[in-house]
């Protein structure tokens, strides 16, 4: 899947939340390809997480699948403890876990609002808070929050999702200022339209309408988003913090 293993992240340990889906799995595989040991977190999709771990192992990498609901403090603690208990450190956190509960704001239930904010925003906050403890001791860390073009421009029918993803950008910029002096960088990636099971179910006419909005004329791929994540995690991005990189084909 990736051309070759390199040593940019040798002896580093990464946690990728929500890594059972296409984008999270691509991020986990990218970091493993760069030499990191990876905790592949999942909530419900056991099969996807195990497939990701198997793919990493087949290509010479190191990974462990860990179940945990990152919208709760107990779930976060269990996931991050796997990294420190197994490898004795935690260097990289990718906050990718996310859900959708779409609907027009006038018809959106409070439960749907809370569910999306709890997982997509509160979950990232809880993960950052827990990950910072070992990172501050090490005086080195990389936090990459997965936002969205919906957080940059809004998306009709996704008031909850757009608010959570915009909140992630605010969290990224505030946290970057708080921890920079300790050698920790905090950045965000904002993907555009990326192929997924949901994308496959969209009617062709609707797909065409979406593609017409993208200057590059096509959706992105999980590996293209993972490349941006890999950059932010690498030593090459040591002087980059508080930034948001849109991987969207020019959409926003």
């Amino acid at each position: 899947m990736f051309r070759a293993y390199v040593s940019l992240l040798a002896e580093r340990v990464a946690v990728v939340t929500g890594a059972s889906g296409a984008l999270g799995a691509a991020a986990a595989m990218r970091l493993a390809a760069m030499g990191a040991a990876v905790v592949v977190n999942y909530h419900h999709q056991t099969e996807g997480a195990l497939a990701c771990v198997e793919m990493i192992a087949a290509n010479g990498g190191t990974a462990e699948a860990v179940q945990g609901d990152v919208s709760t403090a107990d779930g976060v603690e269990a996931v991050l403890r796997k990294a420190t208990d197994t490898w004795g450190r935690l260097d990289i956190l990718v906050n990718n876990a996310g859900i959708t509960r779409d609907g027009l704001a006038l018809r959106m239930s409070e439960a749907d609002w809370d569910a999306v904010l709890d997982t997509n925003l509160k979950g990232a906050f809880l993960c950052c808070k827990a990950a910072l403890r070992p990172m501050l001791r090490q005086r080195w860390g990389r936090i990459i929050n997965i936002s969205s073009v919906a957080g940059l421009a809004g998306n009709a029918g996704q008031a909850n999702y757009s608010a959570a993803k915009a909140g992630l950008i605010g969290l990224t910029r505030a946290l970057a200022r708080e921890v920079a002096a300790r050698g920790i960088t905090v950045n965000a990636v904002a993907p555009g339209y990326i192929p997924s099971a949901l994308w496959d179910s969209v009617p062709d006419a609707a797909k065409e309408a979406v593609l017409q909005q993208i200057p590059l004329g096509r959706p992105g791929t999980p590996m293209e988003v993972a490349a941006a994540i890999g950059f932010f995690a690498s030593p090459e991005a040591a002087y980059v913090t508080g930034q948001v990189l849109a991987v969207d084909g020019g959409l926003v």
Side-chain angles (χ1 to χ4, degrees), residues 68-114:
D69 178 2
V70 297
S71 70
T72 70
D74 288 345
V76 168
E77 187 66 27
V79 173
L80 270 60
R81 191 186 308 120
K82 179 64 176 179
T84 54
D85 286 355
T86 304
W87 294 290
R89 59 188 301 120
L90 172 57
D91 303 284
I92 300 157
L93 170 65
V94 180
N95 282 312
N96 173 70
I99 62 171
T100 57
R101 296 286 188 275
D102 295 350
L104 295 176
L106 278 173
R107 299 174 183 172
M108 184 175 293
S109 69
E110 186 176 348
D112 284 347
W113 174 273
D114 287 345

Side-chain angles (χ1 to χ4, degrees), residues 2 26-27 30 34 189 221-234 245 247:
F2 296 102
R30 179 74 178 202
M34 295 170 71
V189 176
T221 70
M223 289 175 63
E224 288 171 324
V225 179
I229 294 168
F231 167 69
F232 279 139
S234 75
L245 176 57
V247 183

